[in-house]
Amino acid sequence: MEITLGHYLIVSALLFCTGIFGVVTRRNIIMILMSVELMLNGVNLSFAAFARHWGDGSGHVMVVLSIAVAAAEAAVGLALLIAIFRNRESVNVEDLDLLKG
Amino acid sequence: MDGATILFYLFAAMAVGSAVLVVTSDHAIRCAMYLVVTFFNLAALYILLDAHFLGAAQILIYAGAITVLILFVIMLLDITSLGSFSASRNDAARAIGLVATATLLLILAPKIVGMGNVGFAAELPADFGSAKELGVLLYKRYLLAFEMVAVLLLAAVVAAVAIAHKEEEA
Amino acid sequence: MHEADIHAQWLLLIPLLPLLGAMVNGALTVTGNPLSERNTALLGCLTVLGSALLSTNALITVLSHEEPVRLTATAWEWIASGRLSIPVSLVVDRLSALYITFICWIGLLIHVYSQGYMHGDRGFSRFFTYLNLFMFSMLTLVLGSSLPILFVGWEGVGLCSYLLIGFWYEGTENAKAGKKAFVVNRIGDFAFLLGMFVIFWGTWQLDHATLEVAGLQGQIAGLAEQTITLWGFSMRLPTVAAILLFIGACGKSAQIPLYVWLPDAMAGPTPVSALIHAATMVTAGIYMCARMHFLFSESPVALTLIAITGATTALFAASIALVQNDIKKVLAYSTVSQLGYMFMGIGAGAYAMGIFHVFTHAFFKACLFLGAGSVMHAMSNNTDIRLMGGLRKHMPHTWLTFLISTIAIAGVPGFSGFFSKDEILAKTVMNHGYFVPPIVPGHETLTALMPGVLWGMGVLAAFFTAFYMTRILYLTFHGEERWVEAHVPAEVDALEAAKSRIDAYGFEVTPQQLHPHESPVSMTAVLWVLAMGAIFAGYIGLPHFLGGHLAIEGWLGGIFDSAHAAVAEHGAHGAEAVAEHGDTAKEMSFAIISTVIAFAGIGAALFCYAVKPGLTRTLGDALSVVRRVLSNKYYIDELYDFVFVTPIRRFSESVLWRVIDERVIDGTVRGLGTAARGLGGVLSRAENGIVGSYAVGMLLGVVFILGYLALR
């Protein structure tokens, strides 16, 4: 059976939903960050598939930029994690309830 | 059933499988490793899509830089207790997660399947997926976005250093 | 009928001037900075003087025309809604010209009197504010061109009555009296409103002139065939409207069953009693009936009801006045009784005679009340006539004017009361076509007898009137003193003498130490002016057989032509229903009977109190039940209390207050608060501060939006 655009999109959707599940479920902040990376990768895959579909390189551009943003976000997020860990001795997301009320 | 098809299914299955393992695994390092596996398989899929540069960039940046970053932080903070999957946030959160995920899938799947047999472009530009083509697009059509993302990266670097910087003992 | 309408915008000043006075005095009083007593009174009196002069001008203008004319003035459009258009406009015709003139002049006299009477009172400027406000309301009532404007004035006088009766509000009894007046008036007002609605429903008009014209052109008559059916009982529309309006008049003019507030209203200062409850406000009901004569004439049922109520009230109140010992209470019941006479006149179709009696009554009743005030002033606010006596030597002016007014009210020929009262009694019999028993058709004897019965009641009431007025005159001013001089140390002999005189009459009181003196000129001058009016005001109605031309009837008659025409149509006896003027012999015989009754009453009173002092005590002991019933005013107040007041109050306290107010309304309000807080408590659980859960929330939101977009 020939591989169609739909196949790639389904893979992309699966990756994305897996990432969502991870974000919602996990307690550890690092796990949450990894799940976010999964989500971004799923989206990147769909961009690349569409680029192949239209024969347009713009999809690749979007992927590149998305990777850049993901890298920046991962860096800043981990820096924040370090700062939090220094203050609270915990990376459990349930312990960060200063906004309560 | 030609080679490309088999390879596609192989790489897709491995990618999704290791993704699931990422979100369900207990051990931190193992999660990171599964993540790397996902990245590699994704790179393979990119190559199947004729996005050669993208595949290379994926390995370089994701599997190379980001994963290393994550591993560094895990080891730096010595995170031993992650809690097992069954002790994830609470049952309500798990239920919501499952429901949301299932809902999303159920929404997307029919749409996607309903597209039917949409194939790929038959004819491709000559240098599709090459660094040259990407470079041309980045520096010509998408120059503004490119510059902005560059500034964003700079800001991220500065922010990361500032936030994680340890206060000097007086 | 009213072809000529003269535009006279200055009419608006007539009610506006007192309103201005009220606002100025009121504003200064409320801000705690009232003018001096002299200036307050000056402002109050000047505004009324202005209105009086303008009213006189209006009267002269109307007088100078042969046919009936109207002066009109319009201010602005008050209600413009669909078919209803009520402008704020004033109308003066012969009837209202007469009314506003005597209202303003007598009002002015009483304002002047008040300066002396209320001297030194803490609420002096407040008093004049209320008095001016009252003048404004009363003038609005009389001058209004349509029923709603009249009603505005109607309510206004009710309000001012309440304010002035309870003027010394620190006293609970005074406040209660004010409240009683207002509430009873309100009942009448409710009926009045219903009457207005019925009229509007039938004719889509509320303007006096338009309604009257409609009546002339038979539109009301055509609509008169319309009936209102309630619970299977149907009545003609004019009848329903007329009866409802009359009930309103009963409230305002103190007829049975809504008279109970007037005797209690004596708790107010005496000038108030004189102005409001003798001369002006209580006559508003009669004015309204005269104004709407065309409506009442369409309904013989209503006229019969009015006549019966009037006669009954006249007799009823006069009987109570026989045994009262408070001088103001006697005058109050006397007012109720005289108002009954006026309504008798209206009910007999003799509208002009009813108005005539209003006019003469204003003079002598105001004089009597102000005279009583003068006596109270001298006797340290004592009102019990059993403790008076022999004041004639000490207060000659007050005595003389009181004497003149007493003779007038008793109906002695030559004084004003005789002319008006006699005419009413005569017309009751002579306008016999007006009485059509509505409920028992076929009872011709009833029809024939009713005028006679009513006349008999009126005659008996006249006898009582002469009797009780002479009684209080004698017991207050004549005879031996039943009190002791204050500044002289009380000698035992003097006290003993006074006590023995009290016992001679059978009174059970103890003599007091008092210092009677004549009142200042500002009060006695007013008394004299009113007394002159009491004598001479009657001559505008000099009847034919004495050589006069019954001027007032002819003059006012132009207004009431339509009424007479309608009655001629509806009266049971057809053409005979028109009033008989020319029968001199009949008129003469009625006059003689009235004179005889007056003198008989006076003579009987003098006999009982001057010649044989112990007679009343013996009679009273023999008829002790009668005496008790009359003294307690037929226990009507107690009856109302038992039937209406106490059940309503208990219901209010136990149900309306405890259940509905506390549990339902307060519960709902508190419940809303509790619900809001509860909801807040539930919703605030989402604010747990855990960022992760916020992320979950966002995710869920995205899922929902995607789902919505996908499934659209």
Side-chain angles (χ1 to χ4, degrees):
Chain A
M1 173 174 42
E2 204 181 312
I3 305 297
T4 65
L5 178 62
H7 288 83
Y8 281 98
L9 289 184
I10 291 210
V11 173
S12 162
L14 282 171
L15 283 173
F16 188 75
C17 293
T18 313
I20 286 184
F21 181 76
V23 167
V24 169
T25 311
R26 307 295 286 192
R27 262 203 306 203
N28 199 305
I29 296 184
I30 294 186
M31 304 308 300
I32 295 179
L33 278 170
M34 283 199 248
S35 307
V36 172
E37 295 301 327
L38 261 183
M39 288 163 68
L40 283 166
N41 272 284
V43 172
N44 286 348
L45 180 62
S46 77
F47 272 136
F50 275 114
R52 180 69 177 77
H53 170 64
W54 296 112
D56 191 352
S58 304
H60 297 319
V61 171
M62 279 193 244
V63 174
V64 165
L65 295 178
S66 166
I67 292 176
V69 170
E73 165 246 323
V76 175
L78 288 167
L80 279 170
L81 176 64
I82 293 177
I84 289 172
F85 183 77
R86 273 203 214 118
N87 273 314
R88 302 214 151 232
E89 293 294 323
S90 159
V91 289
N92 189 341
V93 76
E94 282 171 350
D95 288 339
L96 308 173
D97 59 358
L98 276 177
L99 284 176
K100 184 173 174 70
Chain B
M1 189 73 94
D2 66 336
T5 315
I6 299 175
L7 280 177
F8 165 76
Y9 277 116
L10 178 68
F11 289 132
M14 281 170 63
V16 175
S18 66
V20 173
L21 286 171
V22 167
V23 296
T24 60
S25 168
D26 285 348
H27 203 252
I29 308 286
R30 274 198 213 136
C31 281
M33 289 301 112
Y34 289 135
L35 197 59
V36 171
V37 169
T38 310
F39 289 154
F40 271 111
N41 284 295
L42 228 45
L45 283 174
Y46 285 150
I47 301 207
L48 275 176
L49 282 173
D50 286 313
H52 308 292
F53 181 79
L54 233 47
Q58 167 91 353
I59 295 176
L60 270 175
I61 299 172
Y62 263 116
I66 291 183
T67 316
V68 170
L69 192 57
I70 290 176
L71 283 170
F72 263 139
V73 172
I74 290 176
M75 290 181 193
L76 199 64
L77 300 183
D78 193 18
I79 296 173
T80 46
S81 66
L82 281 187
S84 58
F85 173 64
S86 62
S88 67
R89 271 234 296 290
N90 51 41
D91 289 342
R94 230 188 327 144
I96 293 175
L98 274 171
V99 166
T101 312
T103 314
L104 205 51
L105 274 175
L106 285 172
I107 292 169
L108 290 173
K111 289 281 176 188
I112 297 173
V113 169
M115 271 185 352
N117 251 355
V118 182
F120 291 116
E123 296 208 355
L124 287 174
D127 41 15
F128 180 80
S130 67
K132 176 178 173 198
E133 194 227 10
L134 198 59
V136 166
L137 280 173
L138 270 180
Y139 283 100
K140 281 203 169 167
R141 258 170 78 184
Y142 300 108
L143 180 62
L144 181 61
F146 173 70
E147 294 294 339
M148 281 167 70
V149 171
V151 172
L152 176 71
L153 281 172
L154 174 65
V157 168
V158 171
V161 170
I163 291 172
H165 181 63
K166 207 170 194 170
E167 292 293 325
E168 298 284 51
E169 318 274 330
Chain C
M1 189 172 80
H2 295 311
E3 305 88 11
D5 266 16
I6 303 177
H7 194 69
Q9 205 68 6
W10 48 267
L11 283 180
L12 290 170
L13 279 176
I14 298 184
L16 274 184
L17 282 175
L19 179 65
L20 193 63
M23 288 189 343
V24 171
N25 264 329
L28 291 172
T29 313
V30 165
T31 57
N33 232 354
L35 298 170
S36 70
E37 269 194 13
R38 199 180 82 100
N39 288 339
T40 311
L42 198 62
L43 176 63
C45 294
L46 276 181
T47 52
V48 180
L49 175 65
S51 298
L53 290 172
L54 288 171
S55 311
T56 317
N57 185 25
L59 180 66
I60 294 175
T61 313
V62 171
L63 267 176
S64 63
H65 285 80
E66 279 293 317
E67 299 110 25
V69 294
R70 296 171 356 127
L71 303 174
T72 62
T74 310
W76 73 89
E77 187 79 16
W78 178 27
I79 302 177
S81 154
R83 281 210 240 176
L84 182 61
S85 160
I86 312 266
V88 174
S89 74
L90 308 176
V91 165
V92 170
D93 62 0
R94 286 178 171 182
L95 174 62
S96 42
L98 180 68
Y99 244 86
I100 57 176
T101 311
F102 86 76
I103 289 173
C104 285
W105 286 107
I106 294 187
L108 178 65
L109 288 171
I110 294 181
H111 276 70
V112 171
Y113 180 95
S114 303
Q115 198 208 356
Y117 191 83
M118 301 296 286
H119 170 67
D121 192 297
R122 225 186 51 189
F124 191 88
S125 64
R126 184 163 56 101
F127 189 77
F128 273 89
T129 310
Y130 291 160
L131 273 189
N132 269 8
L133 190 65
F134 170 81
M135 292 302 293
F136 160 70
S137 306
M138 189 71 204
L139 289 167
T140 309
L141 194 159
V142 174
L143 287 171
S145 71
S146 55
L147 276 173
I149 310 278
L150 189 152
F151 192 64
V152 168
W154 188 273
E155 296 276 328
V157 295
L159 170 71
C160 294
S161 174
Y162 162 77
L163 289 172
L164 284 164
I165 292 175
F167 183 72
W168 291 309
Y169 53 82
E170 285 99 351
T172 321
E173 290 307 314
N174 303 338
K176 277 164 73 167
K179 196 167 57 165
K180 183 173 182 178
F182 195 79
V183 171
V184 175
N185 251 226
R186 215 72 190 98
I187 300 174
D189 293 348
F190 179 62
F192 190 96
L193 271 174
L194 286 179
M196 265 210 286
F197 295 159
V198 167
I199 292 179
F200 184 67
W201 180 69
T203 65
W204 293 104
Q205 296 293 340
L206 285 174
D207 183 84
H208 293 320
T210 325
L211 279 174
E212 202 166 344
V213 169
L216 266 189
Q217 293 173 352
Q219 279 175 16
I220 287 192
L223 290 160
E225 307 320 316
Q226 266 190 36
T227 56
I228 296 181
T229 312
L230 273 177
W231 305 296
F233 183 70
S234 76
M235 290 202 282
R236 287 169 56 234
L237 189 144
T239 306
V240 175
I243 292 182
L244 285 171
L245 289 180
F246 174 63
I247 297 177
C250 282
K252 194 65 74 183
S253 300
Q255 297 297 291
I256 291 173
L258 296 172
Y259 70 93
V260 289
W261 61 271
L262 189 50
D264 284 29
M266 296 301 113
T270 311
V272 169
S273 307
L275 179 62
I276 299 185
H277 308 126
T280 43
M281 181 182 106
V282 291
T283 59
I286 293 130
Y287 173 76
M288 188 271 297
C289 290
R291 211 2 120 216
M292 305 294 291
H293 57 91
F294 45 87
L295 178 70
F296 286 96
S297 305
E298 288 288 333
S299 167
V301 177
L303 285 179
T304 314
L305 182 67
I306 295 178
I308 295 177
T309 309
T312 314
T313 309
L315 184 57
F316 179 81
S319 66
I320 297 181
L322 284 175
V323 297
Q324 296 300 314
N325 292 316
D326 182 320
I327 192 173
K328 282 183 77 173
K329 284 265 181 353
V330 173
L331 292 177
Y333 282 106
S334 170
T335 307
V336 175
S337 175
Q338 297 300 308
L339 288 168
Y341 272 110
M342 297 174 208
F343 277 109
M344 252 175 78
I346 301 274
Y351 297 98
M353 292 303 110
I355 302 292
F356 185 31
H357 198 54
V358 167
F359 183 62
T360 58
H361 173 265
F363 284 102
F364 55 70
K365 193 44 73 60
C367 185
L368 286 169
F369 265 110
L370 295 184
S374 180
V375 168
M376 284 165 62
H377 210 238
M379 306 286 272
S380 319
N381 282 337
N382 183 28
T383 55
D384 197 332
I385 55 173
R386 299 174 290 184
L387 294 166
M388 300 185 187
L391 289 178
R392 148 168 76 105
K393 305 185 270 294
H394 302 268
M395 323 177 62
H397 292 284
T398 310
W399 167 63
L400 268 178
T401 52
F402 204 92
L403 175 67
I404 293 175
S405 305
T406 307
I407 299 178
I409 194 176
V412 169
F415 289 71
S416 60
F418 165 74
F419 295 113
S420 51
K421 206 188 293 193
D422 173 56
E423 281 294 328
I424 288 180
L425 289 175
K427 288 280 191 292
T428 308
V429 177
M430 284 158 54
N431 288 6
H432 54 262
Y434 288 78
F435 296 104
V436 178
I439 310 173
V440 274
H443 282 228
E444 275 74 33
T445 32
L446 199 62
T447 321
L449 277 183
M450 177 137 16
V453 168
L454 294 180
W455 177 84
M457 289 164 81
V459 165
L460 188 58
F463 176 74
F464 286 166
T465 306
F467 186 91
Y468 65 67
M469 285 310 299
T470 314
R471 171 176 178 263
I472 59 170
L473 174 74
Y474 188 84
L475 285 176
T476 308
F477 293 99
H478 295 252
E480 306 278 356
E481 298 162 8
R482 292 185 296 284
W483 45 271
V484 175
E485 274 290 337
H487 58 261
V488 172
E491 300 158 4
V492 179
D493 291 342
L495 268 176
E496 286 290 324
K499 195 70 176 70
S500 71
R501 288 177 210 128
I502 291 177
D503 288 335
Y505 287 110
F507 298 148
E508 279 147 30
V509 289
T510 38
Q512 302 223 329
Q513 290 203 306
L514 300 161
H515 173 53
H517 53 281
E518 185 59 274
S519 300
V521 174
S522 63
M523 288 163 68
T524 51
V526 170
L527 288 175
W528 273 111
V529 173
L530 289 172
M532 289 301 109
I535 301 178
F536 295 112
Y539 286 96
I540 62 173
L542 208 53
H544 292 288
F545 67 90
L546 285 179
H549 299 284
L550 207 56
I552 184 161
E553 178 163 29
W555 193 61
L556 280 177
I559 300 186
F560 299 123
D561 275 340
S562 66
H564 297 146
V567 168
E569 216 179 286
H570 284 278
H573 301 273
E576 301 166 70
V578 181
E580 304 161 26
H581 275 305
D583 201 337
T584 319
K586 238 189 181 166
E587 289 197 9
M588 185 86 86
S589 45
F590 278 117
I592 293 177
I593 297 179
S594 300
T595 316
V596 166
I597 295 294
F599 281 115
I602 297 178
L606 285 175
F607 184 74
C608 287
Y609 290 100
V611 175
K612 278 203 168 246
L615 183 58
T616 46
R617 177 170 53 167
T618 330
L619 267 178
D621 289 337
L623 302 167
S624 64
V625 173
V626 175
R627 178 173 64 186
R628 196 149 29 104
V629 168
L630 289 181
S631 297
N632 286 312
K633 310 160 275 161
Y634 293 89
Y635 297 105
I636 295 285
D637 279 321
E638 287 78 1
L639 179 69
Y640 282 179
D641 198 58
F642 179 73
V643 174
F644 297 114
V645 177
T646 310
I648 290 181
R649 184 186 302 139
R650 286 234 218 95
F651 179 68
S652 292
E653 276 178 13
S654 58
V655 177
L656 290 180
W657 178 30
R658 295 203 188 285
V659 174
I660 296 185
D661 189 38
E662 278 188 6
R663 296 229 216 112
V664 174
I665 297 182
D666 281 0
T668 309
V669 172
R670 262 188 260 124
L672 283 176
T674 314
R677 197 187 298 143
L679 190 63
V682 168
L683 287 178
S684 72
R685 292 223 215 110
E687 302 275 321
N688 55 10
I690 299 176
V691 184
S693 69
Y694 295 164
V696 171
M698 282 196 279
L699 237 44
L700 285 176
V702 167
V703 170
F704 283 136
I705 293 176
L706 274 177
Y708 169 72
L709 286 174
L711 297 172
R712 199 148 51 104

